[in-house]
């Protein structure tokens, strides 16, 4: 069984971990500097209101738990069905690279149109991977 999709999936987990650390590396010092007690950010509305200036990494972390779930599932399904050829593997790495660029944009200067274009490109790669897998299953 070819395991070529395991490394891109592991890389995406690594990116998610890095963003998680960035989230708290920004959030905790911000809360300390502004004397925001943890109890004051118990709801999403309070987080948005009080932590808005440092919320981008948290938003990105949430993004990394949305569309990438379909990528992780496809990596497992394609591996189990033996549909992990060179094209699928290259597309998987392209998806991961686009997610990295998306995360860098969102966690730094956060220009929405730049982020949207990269997100859309990644989504198209992922939908193409799913279509390729489905077609290969009917051959």
């Amino acid at each position: 069984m070819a395991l070529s999709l395991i490394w891109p999936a592991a890389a995406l987990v690594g990116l998610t971990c890095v963003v998680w650390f960035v989230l708290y590396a920004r959030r905790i010092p911000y809360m300390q500097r502004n004397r925001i007690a943890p109890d004051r950010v118990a709801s999403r509305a309070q987080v948005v209101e009080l932590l808005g200036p440092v919320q981008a990494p948290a938003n990105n972390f949430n993004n990394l738990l949305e569309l990438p779930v379909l990528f992780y599932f496809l990596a497992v399904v394609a591996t189990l069905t033996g549909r992990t050829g060179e094209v699928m593997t290259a597309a998987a790495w392209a998806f991961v690279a686009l997610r990295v660029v998306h995360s860098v944009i969102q966690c730094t200067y956060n220009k929405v149109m730049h982020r949207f274009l990269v997100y859309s490109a990644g989504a198209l790669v992922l939908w193409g991977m799913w279509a390729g897998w489905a077609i290969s299953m009917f051959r």
Side-chain angles (χ1 to χ4, degrees), residues 3-104:
L3 300 176
S4 62
L5 299 183
I6 299 303
W7 291 114
L12 195 52
V13 169
L15 173 64
T16 305
C17 182
V18 167
V19 170
W20 183 84
F21 279 106
V22 169
L23 181 167
Y24 287 105
R26 291 192 187 164
R27 183 177 279 185
I28 292 170
Y30 182 85
M31 290 175 70
Q32 290 170 337
R33 273 192 315 275
N34 292 285
R35 294 187 170 91
I36 300 170
D39 290 343
R40 290 185 57 206
V41 289
S43 72
R44 181 168 298 273
Q46 291 169 317
V47 168
V48 170
E49 178 187 344
L50 296 172
L51 302 180
V54 293
Q55 192 57 17
N59 293 338
N60 187 251
F61 183 77
N62 290 334
N63 285 172
L64 289 169
L65 300 174
E66 293 171 351
L67 194 61
V69 168
L70 298 173
F71 172 77
Y72 294 128
F73 183 61
L74 179 60
V76 171
V77 168
T79 299
L80 291 175
T81 59
R83 305 299 200 267
T84 59
E86 291 178 11
V87 172
M88 182 69 83
T89 302
W93 281 113
F95 178 75
V96 171
L98 288 163
R99 294 308 305 187
V100 168
V101 173
H102 179 270
S103 292
V104 168

